[in-house]
Amino acid sequence: MPQIFHHSTNALAKITIYGAVFIIVAALWVAVELNRSSWNTGQWVERQQPVQFSHKHHVGDDGIDCRYCHTSVETAATAGMPSTAVCMSCHKQIWADSPYLEPVRASFRTGKPLEWIRVHDLPDYAYFNHSIHVQKGVGCSTCHGRVDEQPIMYQAATLQMEWCLECHREPEKFVRPKNRIYDMAWRPVNTNSEQLAEGFRLKAEYKIQGRRVLESCSTCHR
Amino acid sequence: MSRFRNTFGIGVLLAVVCFAGAACRHDMQDQPKIKPYRGSSFFGDGLASRPPVQGTIARGHLRSDTEFYTGKKPVSSASPAPASTNPYTDDVDTFPFPITQETVVRGRERYEIFCSVCHGMTGHGDGMIVRRGFRRAASFHDDRLRQAPVGHFFDAITNGWGAMPPYAAQVPVQDRWAIIAYVRALQLSQQNIKTQPGPSGTPLPQGSSQPQSQPTPAAGGHQE
């Protein structure tokens, strides 16, 4: 019987065997990157809403505080969405006949709530609570980015578990003074140990719990 | 050979588990439970939560303290003063609880969230929304509003006043009184500069309730 494979194919066989290792590793790497990409997490994706509501106009230009509309952010798990009556408190008089506001007026007439499309949506098996973060010195912009510069809302963080844990492991890198929580321009300075000392001071002042609580599975999966 | 078959079998099993996991993911992600702001197809109106039956009073929420919850005097003690001298006969004229430093600080914070957009940081009625075309909001430094009893302010916040919308849904009762305490502090702070000309407010230095002797020409105290 003649040889089917020539001697030289031995080398090829060896290359494929060792190459497979690299291919598998590369495939895993691609999978991990895809998992973190905005294609999977929805990060940076702008969602079109039933009303062209702009945070840039309302927060950036008009200086309305987050809590005027998201009233329960300091006291409840959910930040709270403004009712149609809240929009109408101003829009009964200003831009009262703008065509962009027709859905709001229709909702006010009929009593049927506006249906906003969710931008941030954690899976139902994860538990999140706004009030604890706001009370313990984590500001809106740490998680939601420069809301005052977003004409259309998008998700500024991946909202993946590793993102939550990055902060839960070292909150001192992210906490800020209480009076800056709603300050969209605040940036953490945590590059050297001196600046981190401020974070540790705030961490102690807010009595932020240790890693045992903040990393425990049942804190977020309850 | 059987070793290879085992490995191969485990490989297939892993792949199946992975794909099955991917398939399950959305069931766990969107569980058929009711969460805040999530709709429901169960009721005709599409809302998940039901409004309480008219007249329901939650345990511990009987609003028996009329002065605290309405800013009005209890009917029996309302003085029958002639309406011509005092238009606010049934409004209470004292705070229903002692005002402390914390109340005023809280009031300032709440004022700057809910009122300053129209009434301006200093209460002259020239907030950002007014500058964008809303009807001019009342200035708290008018003589009429200086003399108005606190209950009248409570009424305006709770039920609205003329062109002003009601804020009962956004501002809890305790905070409404705190805001009024801060408005009183604002009125005091602006008392001796109220003769200054110009429609725009005189910004107070942050954190100070001292009257400012040199009014700056720039309008309002907004961070723009």
Side-chain angles (χ1 to χ4, degrees):
Chain A
M1 195 172 141
Q3 257 186 335
I4 302 176
F5 295 110
H6 190 260
H7 235 27
S8 64
T9 48
N10 276 358
L12 205 64
K14 277 183 196 147
I15 290 173
T16 30
I17 287 170
Y18 292 117
V21 174
F22 291 104
I23 291 173
I24 289 171
V25 169
L28 281 176
W29 178 76
V30 169
V32 167
E33 284 302 307
L34 272 183
N35 186 35
R36 283 180 186 158
S37 71
S38 60
W39 171 77
N40 183 37
T41 60
Q43 196 181 10
W44 314 122
V45 179
E46 297 181 332
R47 306 251 182 232
Q48 293 303 326
Q49 300 284 353
V51 182
Q52 293 273 316
F53 178 82
S54 156
H55 280 86
K56 183 174 180 296
H57 275 158
H58 289 86
V59 179
D61 299 347
D62 297 336
I64 310 173
D65 194 287
C66 309
R67 291 163 288 180
Y68 188 99
C69 293
H70 304 298
T71 29
S72 64
V73 76
E74 293 165 305
T75 50
T78 155
M81 292 305 271
S83 67
T84 307
V86 171
C87 310
M88 289 306 273
S89 69
C90 291
H91 288 297
K92 236 179 202 161
Q93 282 186 46
I94 46 175
W95 271 263
D97 36 38
S98 159
Y100 296 111
L101 282 158
E102 184 45 38
V104 180
R105 289 190 297 268
S107 156
F108 194 64
R109 278 194 303 272
T110 59
K112 198 174 177 310
L114 284 164
E115 288 184 28
W116 302 107
I117 313 294
R118 279 207 81 109
V119 181
H120 301 74
D121 195 4
L122 286 182
D124 287 357
Y125 54 75
Y127 172 78
F128 180 77
N129 189 321
H130 273 97
S131 60
I132 183 89
H133 291 95
V134 174
Q135 298 297 344
K136 298 231 175 175
V138 188
C140 314
S141 62
T142 304
C143 301
H144 294 301
R146 290 297 299 255
V147 171
D148 61 335
E149 290 173 358
Q150 300 175 0
I152 303 176
M153 173 60 65
Y154 56 79
Q155 185 183 314
T158 64
L159 298 192
Q160 283 184 318
M161 185 164 131
E162 60 177 9
W163 174 76
C164 308
L165 289 177
E166 192 191 336
C167 175
H168 276 209
R169 291 197 171 116
E170 294 174 305
E172 62 275 5
K173 284 193 178 164
F174 301 91
V175 287
R176 55 174 97 184
K178 273 271 174 63
N179 57 357
R180 308 294 295 277
I181 300 280
Y182 300 91
D183 183 347
M184 291 293 121
W186 191 88
R187 283 270 166 285
V189 276
N190 52 23
T191 37
N192 63 37
S193 57
E194 205 176 302
Q195 290 160 336
L196 264 187
E198 170 71 1
F200 278 111
R201 194 186 63 71
L202 288 172
K203 186 181 168 187
E205 184 188 322
Y206 300 147
K207 301 195 179 65
I208 291 179
Q209 301 182 68
R211 292 173 63 154
R212 208 172 55 77
V213 171
L214 287 185
E215 272 178 44
S216 151
C217 313
S218 58
T219 295
C220 307
H221 302 292
R222 41 175 94 183
Chain B
M1 198 61 213
S2 83
R3 181 104 156 272
F4 169 74
R5 227 189 284 137
N6 275 351
T7 330
F8 182 74
I10 289 173
V12 168
L13 205 71
L14 270 177
V16 168
V17 167
C18 285
F19 283 112
C24 287
R25 196 182 152 97
H26 275 269
D27 293 352
M28 290 296 282
Q29 195 139 19
D30 302 308
Q31 299 163 16
K33 66 182 178 189
I34 285 169
K35 294 183 80 182
Y37 298 106
R38 180 176 292 176
S40 148
S41 54
F42 191 77
F43 296 104
D45 58 6
L47 305 181
S49 34
R50 299 290 88 201
V53 176
Q54 274 272 309
T56 311
I57 295 168
R59 203 170 264 273
H61 287 257
L62 179 62
R63 300 187 151 196
S64 52
D65 185 348
T66 324
E67 295 178 13
F68 181 66
Y69 286 109
T70 65
K72 305 274 182 212
K73 289 177 190 153
V75 191
S76 52
S77 70
S79 58
S84 55
T85 55
N86 178 8
Y88 313 110
T89 41
D90 56 348
D91 289 321
V92 295
D93 33 29
T94 48
F95 285 96
F97 55 88
I99 300 300
T100 60
Q101 170 89 28
E102 284 93 77
T103 323
V104 180
V105 170
R106 170 86 182 166
R108 175 186 176 143
E109 185 190 73
R110 297 292 120 175
Y111 177 89
E112 288 175 0
I113 299 170
F114 292 107
C115 314
S116 68
V117 286
C118 294
H119 288 276
M121 285 293 180
T122 48
H124 283 271
D126 58 347
M128 205 56 188
I129 303 303
V130 169
R131 280 184 246 166
R132 294 270 196 264
F134 203 86
R135 195 193 141 124
R136 192 172 174 83
S139 163
F140 297 133
H141 310 297
D142 285 352
D143 277 338
R144 182 176 62 86
L145 285 176
R146 273 177 197 287
Q147 261 118 51
V150 288
H152 174 62
F153 289 84
F154 191 88
D155 192 21
I157 306 177
T158 311
N159 305 313
W161 190 265
M164 173 176 147
Y167 281 86
Q170 278 154 281
V171 190
V173 175
Q174 182 81 26
D175 286 349
R176 284 178 230 162
W177 289 113
I179 289 175
I180 298 165
Y182 179 64
V183 169
R184 280 285 189 245
L186 269 183
Q187 289 178 331
L188 284 177
S189 75
Q190 302 277 306
Q191 204 142 31
N192 41 3
I193 49 169
K194 78 172 199 281
T195 46
Q196 292 291 338
S200 61
T202 315
L204 278 178
Q206 293 286 307
S208 154
S209 58
Q210 295 300 312
Q212 213 187 2
S213 49
Q214 276 298 309
T216 30
H222 288 274
Q223 313 95 351
E224 278 172 70

